[in-house]
Amino acid sequence: METELLLKRCINKNRNAWKEFTRLYTALIRKSVVYKLRNLGVFLPKIDMDDIVQEILLSIWEKDKLSRIKDIKSLQAWLVMISINMTLNYCRKHVFRHAKDLESLDAYISDNDEARSTLKDFLSGNTVPAGETASFNELCQVINSIISGLKARDQLVIKLNIYDGAKQKDIAKIMNLPISTVGTVLSRAKKELKRQLEIKWDF
Amino acid sequence: MNRLCPQEEVLSAYLSDALSPSQKIQVEKHLIKCRDCRVLLLDTHKIINTVDIHHLFRQILSFLKTNMFFFISFISLSLSFLFSKYFLQFLTASILFGSKWIVDIKTTKTLIMVQEALKPGEKKNPTEETIDHRDRS
């Protein structure tokens, strides 16, 4: 209830409420920025990180972004997502300045299920060998064709687990499903995948 | 994230289970195709559910900093019992640091301000003073 009131006051441009909001959530924003930068393999001085945090807070205040939040429960998740995306934008603008780097970054973070090397490896030039990528892509195509026949929920569970390496308990929390359901979906799907791959590729 | 991706507010609502069943299915259909959004969801989940050790450390440090004089006073008091030869010296130090802590804490400052405000008859309202002056003249 208190957070809801605080949000309402922030939306109405109350400066004291905004001060309280920044006091409460700056740590979370900073944590998200640090996490994403580490994830990207970018090491920035503290002053630049402070810049990103300030930029995020300023954009929330000036563009009145708080009014877009659908549910008060999702405030923290929303702040983290905004911070991650803005950190990514900052890196595009200031860290990966050269057009070539920018293209590589965009290619990497595009809708590509087959991308499996980490961004850190990618940026340091350790790309996956061409032949290996081709066979990996082929395998992905086969897996995709097999799982595309499943229910949307089951497909997402499998993709989160196989492609993104998420653990069962994390998938259960993200999708708000019981952990037993996730386990059942995964074991059933993996058995089916194994059976189909054995037929197609003679594994 | 590209233009077709759902906005952060939709994805965060999905993570908090605040979407309607139909919206949820729509988001799930998108997530199947979009790796960026799946990674964003996973990152968000990880960030929210991990304890920030640095932040915790900073909080403990700031707590110690604000109550520094209390801890010094406590240590001095303990030392006064350990080294009975310097009992009085350590006890004096303990009292001094203890007093400094009491004066510094917010509650005391507020109490002093309240007490000063409630003191009767020390300061007169400036408007009253001018009225008195006129009456005398």
Side-chain angles (χ1 to χ4, degrees):
Chain A
M1 188 63 197
E2 271 181 16
T3 321
E4 208 172 340
L5 196 68
L6 184 73
L7 265 194
K8 271 183 190 167
R9 290 173 66 201
C10 285
I11 292 165
N12 292 331
K13 300 284 176 195
N14 181 315
R15 284 192 179 268
N16 287 335
W18 178 247
K19 258 188 194 171
E20 180 64 10
F21 180 86
T22 51
R23 192 187 66 79
L24 287 173
Y25 295 107
T26 303
L28 182 69
I29 293 173
R30 188 184 300 277
K31 189 178 165 186
S32 316
V33 171
V34 170
Y35 178 90
K36 194 63 200 173
L37 287 175
R38 204 177 294 158
N39 216 349
L40 290 170
V42 176
F43 299 97
L44 292 178
K46 194 178 169 288
I47 206 161
D48 286 347
M49 279 201 260
D50 289 343
D51 266 0
I52 302 176
V53 174
Q54 287 304 318
E55 214 172 278
I56 293 166
L57 287 169
L58 200 69
S59 92
I60 294 173
W61 173 258
E62 282 184 344
K63 293 178 186 169
D64 206 15
K65 286 186 176 175
L66 284 174
S67 57
R68 294 188 207 158
I69 296 174
K70 288 179 184 286
D71 194 285
I72 196 75
K73 275 194 292 178
S74 58
L75 173 66
Q76 282 199 341
W78 179 81
L79 275 174
V80 172
M81 283 179 182
I82 288 270
S83 309
I84 288 175
N85 283 336
M86 287 197 68
T87 309
L88 208 58
N89 288 342
Y90 180 91
C91 287
R92 278 202 185 101
K93 267 188 203 166
H94 303 281
V95 183
F96 310 107
R97 275 179 211 150
H98 305 296
K100 207 178 165 187
D101 286 346
L102 196 67
E103 275 169 24
S104 330
L105 180 72
D106 282 337
Y108 179 79
I109 54 180
S110 66
D111 292 8
N112 186 7
D113 273 331
E114 288 79 37
R116 62 174 173 154
S117 57
T118 63
L119 186 59
K120 199 178 170 183
D121 291 341
F122 189 83
L123 290 171
S124 59
N126 302 329
T127 46
V128 182
E132 205 184 316
T133 316
S135 60
F136 181 75
N137 289 352
E138 216 174 315
L139 179 67
C140 284
Q141 274 173 6
V142 174
I143 294 173
N144 274 338
S145 67
I146 295 166
I147 61 175
S148 58
L150 300 169
K151 274 198 294 183
R153 187 197 69 176
D154 295 0
Q155 281 187 49
L156 185 57
V157 170
I158 295 162
K159 286 215 170 180
L160 280 168
N161 183 257
I162 296 177
Y163 291 129
D164 308 317
K167 289 175 189 166
Q168 287 190 19
K169 62 170 184 180
D170 292 331
I171 298 172
K173 273 191 181 172
I174 289 170
M175 295 182 68
N176 293 294
L177 292 172
I179 196 160
S180 54
T181 312
V182 176
T184 316
V185 168
L186 277 175
S187 65
R188 215 188 313 136
K190 279 180 181 172
K191 265 183 201 166
E192 181 60 20
L193 272 175
K194 202 180 166 191
R195 198 181 63 82
Q196 298 252 21
L197 285 174
E198 272 172 356
I199 298 165
K200 283 196 178 180
W201 276 23
D202 201 21
F203 263 31
Chain B
M1 269 184 122
N2 59 43
R3 278 179 298 147
L4 298 171
C5 292
Q7 293 291 308
E8 289 95 350
E9 45 273 15
V10 179
L11 279 179
S12 58
Y14 174 79
L15 202 59
S16 318
D17 201 19
L19 290 179
S20 67
S22 60
Q23 282 175 319
K24 212 173 158 181
I25 291 168
Q26 265 187 331
V27 173
E28 281 176 355
K29 275 182 183 167
H30 173 79
L31 285 171
I32 291 166
K33 292 177 207 153
C34 181
R35 185 171 188 264
D36 286 352
C37 291
R38 287 205 307 270
V39 171
L40 185 64
L41 269 186
L42 280 171
D43 285 348
T44 308
H45 173 72
K46 273 181 201 163
I47 291 168
I48 290 174
N49 289 291
T50 49
V51 181
D52 190 353
I53 296 167
H54 293 287
H55 180 61
L56 207 69
F57 183 69
R58 272 200 299 274
Q59 272 187 330
I60 293 169
L61 212 67
S62 90
F63 174 74
L64 289 176
K65 215 173 165 183
T66 46
N67 294 302
M68 184 175 66
F69 289 111
F70 170 76
F71 291 113
I72 297 173
S73 161
F74 182 75
I75 291 165
S76 303
L77 192 69
S78 316
L79 288 174
S80 71
F81 287 108
L82 280 175
F83 303 101
S84 49
K85 201 178 165 187
Y86 302 106
F87 177 76
L88 272 176
Q89 284 89 331
F90 277 123
L91 193 69
T92 318
S94 166
I95 291 166
L96 280 174
F97 285 120
S99 326
K100 172 74 179 153
W101 175 69
I102 290 167
V103 171
D104 272 4
I105 54 171
K106 264 186 185 175
T107 327
T108 320
K109 280 180 183 169
T110 319
L111 276 175
I112 292 168
M113 276 166 65
V114 170
Q115 197 197 0
E116 275 183 8
L118 289 175
K119 265 184 190 172
E122 283 212 343
K123 278 182 185 175
K124 274 189 176 179
N125 200 343
T127 49
E128 281 175 26
E129 270 178 24
T130 50
I131 291 164
D132 288 353
H133 189 70
R134 274 179 205 164
D135 285 344
R136 266 178 234 151
S137 64

